[in-house]
Amino acid sequence: MKEHKKIIVVGGVAGGASVAARARRLDEDAEITMFEKGPDVSFSNCSLPYYLGNVIKDVNKVLVMSAEDLRNQDAIDVQPNSEVVDIDPDEQVVTVKRVLTGKLEKFDYDYLFLSPGANPILPKNIKGIDRDNVFTLRNVVDVKKIHNYLTTNKISDVAVIGGGFIGLEVAENLRNRGYNISLIEAADHILGTLDEEMAQIVQKQLYDHKVNLVLNDGLSEIKDDKIILGSGKSVKAQAVIMAIGVSPDVKLAEKIGIKLGITGAIKVDEHYETNVKNIYAVGDAIEVTNALTHKPTRLALAWPAQMEARRAADHIYGRQINASGVYGCSSIHVFDTNVASVGLTEEKCNQEGIPYDTITVVVPYKVGIMPDNADITIKIIFSKPEGILLGGQAIGNAGVDRYIDVLVTMMKYHGTVYDLANQELCYSPWFSTAKNGLNMAGLAATNLLNGEYKHVSVKDVRKLSEQDAFIIDCRERFEYEEHGHLKKSVNIPLSEFRDRLDEIPHDKPVYIHCLSGQRSYFMVRALENLGYDQVYNIDGSYLGICQYEYFRDQTENRSPIVTKYRFELLH
């Protein structure tokens, strides 16, 4: 007689609901019960900020499936408002508290799956953190509370604490609804998945949309109509949304002796089983392996949670699973731009002691004569001297996810910049240039590794300018005069430089830029062939310099090193 498995899932959403659904696909006879302590068992938590921005007009649209849907379609016994408060691993019994009545009930299981998720961090040392005007955003109940409070109390000023994904999405959506937004970030730039010079591009978006972005400062106190920062600065705010990160919900796991890893999340084996027999864990509460550093990490994203759930369910049915670690592939929309990234940043490479180099290119999304063409900034991080792909970041108003999707696929198979340079990709003038932006980045990185030219970052340009370094702007004369330029640069167009070699010194470094980096690269290579040995291409060129310098020049009252920001001509 066939054994009927009793499967209990603790928690819904991406991890828990996916476990239950996968188990049903594999076994029509299993008794599957899912307990969720909240009222909603399956919803798109990544979409919650868009209800605040009225992009999603009906909050019920955020609900993916109701308890009734799961019962009817998948024969899953879904029990919302039911919190698992205790587990007896020896007897394989869970104790469930009915949230609305307080009643306790017991249920036995053959296999137990924990998907408790993560809790928003609320530091207890912040005075006023427990006030009624302080909110977090984790579920549908939370987003309803925020929306109702803002509208009922006619709030005008909102402080968002934290410049990560949730913080940025909340800030963008509320700003689009007309609220005055202050975004507070304790680090020196937003989005820790980006390097600082790339984050500047996104910070410019916030500035241009009149978000009051405060960096290098943290929250100290919350009052009725303002917040006080660690610096003593006061910021007007009648409501505060905390988005400084999440911590894995491990309270129940710890209670029954489940081991935690070095990150503080639940430690699981390659099958997602804990140290307690027949208890598995998936989602934001568990520790995973970084595929590049091979070290434990946490990754609170929907795709890993769903795949972990599928693999864990597969394992109890004896199916082979293959988990090769995570790369941290992510994307976000911020006002008029899109951001995508994967893998290691420069900061992470330095922390891990990994020798690396980078290349940054500014490339057209499609053939320039096509309508709605736009520039995309792509940064690639690779090991040195092997050229193994370690990470990438892309920012622009189209297609950035496409670049990072290709990049993470190549990283999974240990691809190098040489592979990237030669990767065959789709081409049509409507969709791409003949040599895709990733090809261009791979070619440039290959040239660097081969020692064919030298480069510096846009991060170095201010210091070079202040030290009166010899900087050549090789754009045409009309571009230099009409479109702005570095104040201390010398205009020697690519079309004229061979007749003006007497103006270019041999005895000191020469730094060259154009608009996007292509013409300056041509000049660097030509000068090297003519015997110059101290010439450097400036990554990102004038476009990159403008993006990098703009935000801080505007917010820190620094003396601009450019005469005119190129993108100001577009407005």
Side-chain angles (χ1 to χ4, degrees), residues 196-206 208 336-337 360 362 375-377 395-397 458-459 515 540-554 558 562 564-568 570-571:
E196 187 258 352
E197 82 278 11
M198 296 292 281
Q200 292 287 341
I201 302 173
V202 190
Q203 289 170 183
K204 178 187 180 297
Q205 282 286 314
L206 298 172
D208 286 348
D336 299 328
T337 198
T360 300
V362 181
D375 291 318
I376 306 290
T377 302
I395 303 178
N397 63 6
V458 292
K459 295 180 288 188
L515 179 62
S541 277
Y542 195 66
L543 287 172
I545 294 166
C546 287
Q547 294 279 16
Y548 183 71
E549 292 291 329
Y550 180 81
F551 173 75
R552 286 190 170 162
D553 284 354
Q554 305 304 309
R558 301 191 308 178
V562 300
K564 190 184 298 179
Y565 294 103
R566 193 257 180 184
F567 36 74
E568 291 177 346
L570 305 178
H571 299 291

Side-chain angles (χ1 to χ4, degrees), residues 23 29 40 98 122 202 238-239 324:
D29 297 316
D40 305 303
R98 303 303 184 183
L122 290 171
V202 190
Q238 301 92 41
S324 57

